[in-house]
Amino acid sequence: MNTTTKTRVAAVQMVSGPVVADNLKEAGHWIAEAARQGAQLVALPEYFPLISGDEADKIGIREAEGEGPIQRFLADCARRHGIWLIGGSVPLVADAANKVRNTCLAFGPDGSQVARYDKVHLFAFTRGAENYDEARTIEAGHQPVSIETPFGRVGLSICYDLRFPEYFRALGDMKLLVLGAAFTETTGRAHWELLLRARAVENQCYVLAAAQGGVHPSGRRTWGDSMLIDPWGNVINRLARGPGVVVGDLDSDYLVEIRQNLPALGHRRIAC
């Protein structure tokens, strides 16, 4: 097999806490490790800069687009390692004074910002003592976003987007879908792998999922299980819990073979 058709990618898994500087240091360590292992694209999890016991804390660290220490960190890491860096999610200024945009920023190997995606679908879940409602502190985005890279188009998504297949259909023909997430332990155990593999199979593309995974200082429990999935739905590599990095290869020849053998994308009859 011609190895020049392969591109190495990586997902960073974290267990972020309430101190931004500590989280950036941890993220930087794993980005460097992914680059050391040859990754040309690295993805961070949702909320990588901050997970605290008070959801309003992210409002206090929100940044204007193009300004602030979190965005400088992402740009510097991309430039230093010469990689495409998908920045999980960063709290950016919203129209509402009491909210943020939960934003995935993508940076090119020269450190320039190449895309911004504001999370469209806002998570809400209640079961017993568990209660989440992102709409209290987050202002929703409105459209899907992808980026062009030398190794193909990459679609951007965040966590709860995973439950909405029409979002991924709207992205069009992708080689890779990247999802930064902080799935709860409850919903992750039930649906995480199932939904990720479904998105890979129905879109006949690779899926790279970078997750929060463990017990956070606030007591919050996230599911983890960061993974890379191929277009046939096979899990190439994964990390169950705890901080670390998942590394694997995209194979362009294999993707073409899958689509030629089963040309499902060309058989669609109902457009989204």
Side-chain angles (χ1 to χ4, degrees), residues 9 27 32 57 89 113 136 154 168 183 238 244 251:
V9 299
D57 285 350
S89 73
Q113 181 186 316
R136 294 173 187 153
V154 177
F168 299 94
F183 251 60
R238 72 198 311 165
D251 188 329

Side-chain angles (χ1 to χ4, degrees), residues 3 36 41 51 56 66 74 97 111 153 167 188 190 224 257 260:
T3 56
R36 187 191 69 78
L41 179 146
I51 289 184
L74 292 170
R153 288 184 70 208
Y167 173 87
E257 178 185 337
Q260 287 178 340

Side-chain angles (χ1 to χ4, degrees), residues 143-155:
Q143 62 185 14
V145 174
S146 64
I147 61 173
E148 293 287 350
T149 74
F151 43 87
R153 288 184 70 208
V154 177

Side-chain angles (χ1 to χ4, degrees), residues 6-233:
K6 294 185 178 180
T7 303
R8 182 151 291 185
V9 299
V12 171
Q13 185 160 288
M14 295 178 63
V15 188
S16 296
V19 181
V20 173
D22 292 347
N23 297 326
L24 297 188
K25 182 178 180 181
E26 178 80 1
H29 168 77
W30 292 115
I31 292 169
E33 174 59 23
R36 187 191 69 78
Q37 294 188 40
Q40 298 175 56
L41 179 146
V42 179
L44 293 172
E46 184 183 29
Y47 298 135
F48 79 90
L50 177 76
I51 289 184
S52 73
D54 185 348
E55 290 300 313
D57 285 350
K58 57 181 170 283
I59 298 169
I61 66 162
R62 65 183 182 173
E63 299 178 354
E65 185 175 7
E67 302 175 7
I70 301 171
Q71 293 172 84
R72 286 196 295 272
F73 163 81
L74 292 170
D76 289 347
C77 283
R79 185 184 309 109
R80 183 182 314 119
H81 299 293
I83 58 172
W84 295 84
L85 183 58
I86 312 299
S89 73
V90 177
L92 293 190
V93 171
D95 293 335
N98 63 338
K99 294 186 178 183
V100 302
R101 289 293 182 105
N102 194 21
T103 301
C104 176
L105 297 171
F107 293 82
D110 63 353
S112 63
Q113 181 186 316
V114 296
R116 167 181 175 166
Y117 166 61
D118 293 344
K119 186 177 183 180
V120 168
H121 301 99
L122 302 185
F123 179 58
F125 177 74
T126 302
R127 178 185 288 181
E130 277 191 278
N131 183 278
Y132 301 94
D133 185 359
E134 289 187 323
R136 294 173 187 153
T137 55
I138 296 174
E139 190 174 82
H142 303 290
Q143 62 185 14
V145 174
S146 64
I147 61 173
E148 293 287 350
T149 74
F151 43 87
R153 288 184 70 208
V154 177
L156 307 180
S157 60
I158 301 176
C159 203
Y160 195 46
D161 289 332
L162 183 60
R163 293 184 181 274
F164 301 90
E166 67 273 16
Y167 173 87
F168 299 94
R169 285 296 201 208
L171 283 166
D173 185 356
M174 297 287 118
K175 180 174 184 180
L176 174 68
L177 299 174
V178 174
L179 182 94
F183 251 60
T184 70
E185 189 173 68
T186 301
T187 58
R189 179 180 291 108
H191 302 141
W192 172 250
E193 181 178 346
L194 171 72
L195 291 171
L196 286 171
R197 294 178 70 183
R199 298 297 87 84
V201 169
E202 68 196 11
N203 293 289
Q204 296 188 308
C205 68
Y206 287 88
V207 172
L208 181 67
Q212 296 281 349
V215 181
H216 301 262
S218 63
R220 179 174 176 175
R221 294 175 177 269
T222 49
W223 180 242
D225 205 13
S226 296
M227 64 180 76
L228 175 64
I229 303 165
D230 76 18
W232 196 245

